Amino acid sequence: TTKFTSASDIPVAFVEKNVKLRGKLHHITEKGLEVEHIPISIPFITSIQRKWQSKGLLLVRLAGVDLAPGGMAWLQQELKPKQMIWFQLLGREDLALECLVLVNKGRFLSVCLNEEILRQGLGRTARIEGLHHDSRLYWKLHKRLLRAELKALKKNKGIWREESYSERIRDRISNNKFVQTLKQFVSWLRGS
């Protein structure tokens, strides 16, 4: 029922047990998602606690994901301000939380943003900070993230997109010195 306003407020036991917390998204920044923690509410107690709760946002990073430049734009398009999200604690580094971030899509469906970004080809799999790399959970999550990245690679999406044969030929022709000189000559003729 306690509202956490900074990463250091969260008990170590919560991080070790990989507890899921709920929050309201406020901002998407280069450092991560700024989320207001929404504690479990108990009708009478919650109304009293609200008077003493301090304001503050948690910095939540997508664990195991190294965002590409297009990833930030995709997140800003996909997530709305004040949207409710769930974040599963995997680790804590300085003032940031390394988490799996889940977003509800409909009544019974939720999407893991970490996997979805990799599936769209908008990032690369990275080491999951905060988890010991010899733990079972680390390898289970890392395998899920690698599978998502592999789907983007197979479908030629995002950063894995390769130019088609016709695009490569067109680029080579337009970058050819003779063609560039010819274009300059034609523009000179038009100007005369």
Side-chain angles (χ1 to χ4, degrees):
T1 60
T2 305
K3 181 175 182 174
F4 302 123
T5 55
S6 75
S8 58
D9 292 347
I10 298 174
V12 175
F14 278 37
V15 178
E16 288 173 353
K17 292 179 182 176
N18 307 114
V19 173
K20 276 186 190 174
L21 299 175
R22 183 174 61 136
K24 192 185 301 182
L25 178 72
H26 278 262
H27 305 286
I28 299 168
T29 66
E30 296 290 326
K31 296 176 185 173
L33 308 175
E34 292 181 353
V35 178
E36 176 188 355
H37 174 237
I38 308 285
I40 297 170
S41 60
I42 301 171
F44 180 69
I45 297 171
T46 304
S47 61
I48 294 170
Q49 278 185 325
R50 279 194 187 128
K51 295 175 186 174
W52 293 288
Q53 287 176 342
S54 58
K55 302 269 187 216
L57 300 176
L58 299 172
L59 181 61
V60 174
R61 280 194 237 152
L62 299 172
V65 177
D66 186 18
L67 275 179
M72 180 71 70
W74 183 85
L75 278 173
Q76 290 170 338
Q77 182 182 19
E78 199 67 23
L79 299 175
K80 308 296 179 240
K82 307 291 182 194
Q83 183 173 352
M84 295 299 283
I85 62 172
W86 287 88
F87 49 102
Q88 183 176 2
L89 302 171
L90 299 177
R92 177 173 44 198
E93 192 178 320
D94 300 327
L95 300 173
L97 299 167
E98 297 288 331
C99 302
L100 280 182
V101 179
L102 302 163
V103 177
N104 287 339
K105 296 282 186 183
R107 186 170 238 147
F108 302 108
L109 180 68
S110 65
V111 174
C112 176
L113 281 182
N114 307 52
E115 288 181 69
E116 191 59 30
I117 282 176
L118 295 173
R119 210 175 285 122
Q120 297 295 326
L122 301 171
R124 294 177 185 270
T125 305
R127 185 176 188 281
I128 302 171
E129 299 297 329
L131 280 180
H132 296 289
H133 72 274
D134 56 345
S135 73
R136 191 169 185 209
L137 178 61
Y138 178 91
W139 289 107
K140 179 183 171 187
L141 293 175
H142 197 63
K143 193 162 79 171
R144 276 176 47 191
L145 296 176
L146 284 172
R147 277 192 193 130
E149 186 175 335
L150 187 60
K151 283 183 182 176
L153 180 65
K154 285 182 178 178
K155 290 184 178 179
N156 215 11
K157 284 181 149 185
I159 60 174
W160 307 110
R161 186 179 177 280
E162 292 180 6
E163 290 181 324
S164 67
Y165 181 73
S166 60
E167 288 173 327
R168 284 193 304 249
I169 295 296
R170 186 179 59 227
D171 288 344
R172 284 186 184 153
I173 290 172
S174 65
N175 292 334
N176 187 305
K177 295 266 188 214
F178 176 73
V179 173
Q180 288 177 348
T181 306
L182 191 59
K183 283 180 184 177
Q184 289 173 347
F185 180 69
V186 168
S187 65
W188 177 77
L189 283 176
R190 287 183 182 161
S192 312

